[in-house]
Amino acid sequence: MSEGFLGTSAPLAPDVVLLLEVAMGVALLVGTWLARTKRFRPHAWCQSTIVLLNLVVVAVAMTPSFRAQVLASIPVKLSKSYYALATVHAAFGSIAELAALYILLAAGTRLLPEQLRITRYKAWMRSVVVLWWLVLFLGVATYVRWYVPNFRR
Amino acid sequence: MRRSVSVAVFITVEILVIAALSTGRQNAALAAQQKTEAAEVKIDNFSFGPATLTVSVGTTVTWTNRDDIPHTVTSADDPKAFKSKVLDTDEKFSFTFTQPGTYPYFCSIHPKMTAKVVVQ
């Protein structure tokens, strides 16, 4: 198994995922700024790319890791901070990704039936950005708890 | 008549001696089979201790996770000689080494954690 490159005890995959997620979090803010400056088409491309890229990262890296290292130990061992942190991160992360996909479908396509479409886009989008960043912080905390020896006690 | 008795006694003694020797060998073999040594490796502070453990063939090594984060004990050989599940704090994993050789292993969650067991 390949070692990571961030100088912690993590393998390669969590290091790559951490950098990707931080980059996507920043890019999401750039996309928000694009909307505020009324450049809606680049905004739509930017946010859509992030949501879909994140979906790939979740499917390829995060879900297998969660299943291998955490899933078997919950709910019995949720009192242990490293399992609790990873589980809360996974739960809120799933909600954020699903909400983002919903906005993507509602705003960018005509796939959803009329009654499922949203009208208050701004409120939805801002809520998802806030939730996304909360999940990002939880993800960084999970990484630190699992892979950085000096921060674990 | 006396000669017949002597032969009979001789044969009986021989049988008893052979039986005694045979039983002794069997007991010795059984004792050798049952004689298993034990050794321990402690997992703490993101490391295996000792990093190199030398044991004799037949030894059962037990790893105990004393760290406050999960770890695994995973053979670095291909195919893997042994592989534990994810070990939480105070959980143990044991493996008996039946062949001589050097067995490098690592933690699959933290691959920088490496160590080896030398079986002689």
Side-chain angles (χ1 to χ4, degrees):
Chain A
M1 183 177 281
S2 303
E3 292 182 8
F5 52 85
L6 293 179
T8 65
S9 296
L12 182 62
D15 281 3
V16 172
V17 167
L18 181 69
L19 288 188
L20 271 175
E21 289 296 336
V22 170
M24 282 192 276
V26 172
L28 206 63
L29 294 182
V30 172
T32 306
W33 172 77
L34 287 171
R36 287 183 71 86
T37 55
K38 308 222 179 286
R39 282 176 269 189
F40 294 112
R41 195 159 183 80
H43 161 75
W45 275 105
C46 180
Q47 309 302 66
S48 302
T49 305
I50 293 163
V51 171
L52 294 176
L53 178 61
N54 187 57
L55 188 62
V56 173
V57 173
V58 169
V60 171
M62 291 192 199
T63 303
S65 173
F66 187 80
R67 286 183 65 177
Q69 291 169 208
V70 180
L71 196 59
S73 300
I74 56 174
V76 178
K77 294 175 181 170
L78 269 179
S79 57
K80 293 183 184 291
S81 65
Y82 40 87
Y83 288 133
L85 207 50
T87 305
V88 171
H89 169 62
F92 279 100
S94 302
I95 294 168
E97 180 63 26
L98 287 173
L101 283 169
Y102 178 62
I103 293 172
L104 205 71
L105 287 173
T109 72
R110 294 176 190 277
L111 293 171
L112 292 178
E114 193 70 38
Q115 61 269 29
L116 288 178
R117 290 184 192 166
I118 49 178
T119 49
R120 299 176 63 208
Y121 282 110
K122 276 187 183 175
W124 269 89
M125 288 174 176
R126 285 172 183 169
S127 301
V128 169
V129 168
V130 170
L131 181 59
W132 194 286
W133 267 86
L134 173 69
V135 172
L136 182 56
F137 280 121
L138 283 169
V140 172
T142 302
Y143 177 94
V144 168
R145 185 68 183 84
W146 277 77
Y147 301 118
V148 183
N150 294 337
F151 282 87
R152 68 207 166 84
R153 291 191 198 278
Chain B
M1 179 68 182
R2 189 183 289 172
R3 189 175 174 187
S4 298
V5 171
S6 298
V7 169
V9 168
F10 177 76
I11 289 170
T12 305
V13 168
E14 281 292 301
I15 288 170
L16 287 174
V17 167
I18 289 168
L21 284 174
S22 174
T23 306
R25 265 193 228 115
Q26 282 173 355
N27 287 342
L30 195 63
Q33 279 176 0
Q34 288 173 341
K35 187 188 173 192
T36 53
E37 292 176 37
E40 295 221 20
V41 175
K42 195 171 73 172
I43 307 171
D44 198 8
N45 198 25
F46 280 59
S47 61
F48 296 103
T52 301
L53 176 69
T54 303
V55 298
S56 54
V57 173
T59 300
T60 297
V61 178
T62 300
W63 288 263
T64 307
N65 184 8
R66 298 284 185 212
D67 215 340
D68 68 343
I69 196 79
H71 293 290
T72 71
V73 179
T74 307
S75 165
D77 292 326
D78 189 24
K80 295 191 185 312
F82 51 89
K83 185 179 189 300
S84 77
K85 66 178 183 72
V86 174
L87 300 174
D88 276 334
T89 304
D90 293 331
E91 284 188 334
K92 295 170 187 281
F93 169 70
S94 294
F95 182 78
T96 303
F97 291 88
T98 56
Q99 298 289 327
T102 300
Y103 297 84
Y105 63 92
F106 64 104
C107 168
S108 62
I109 303 171
H110 311 100
K112 283 180 183 164
M113 288 174 59
T114 59
K116 63 184 173 187
V117 176
V118 179
V119 183
Q120 294 175 335

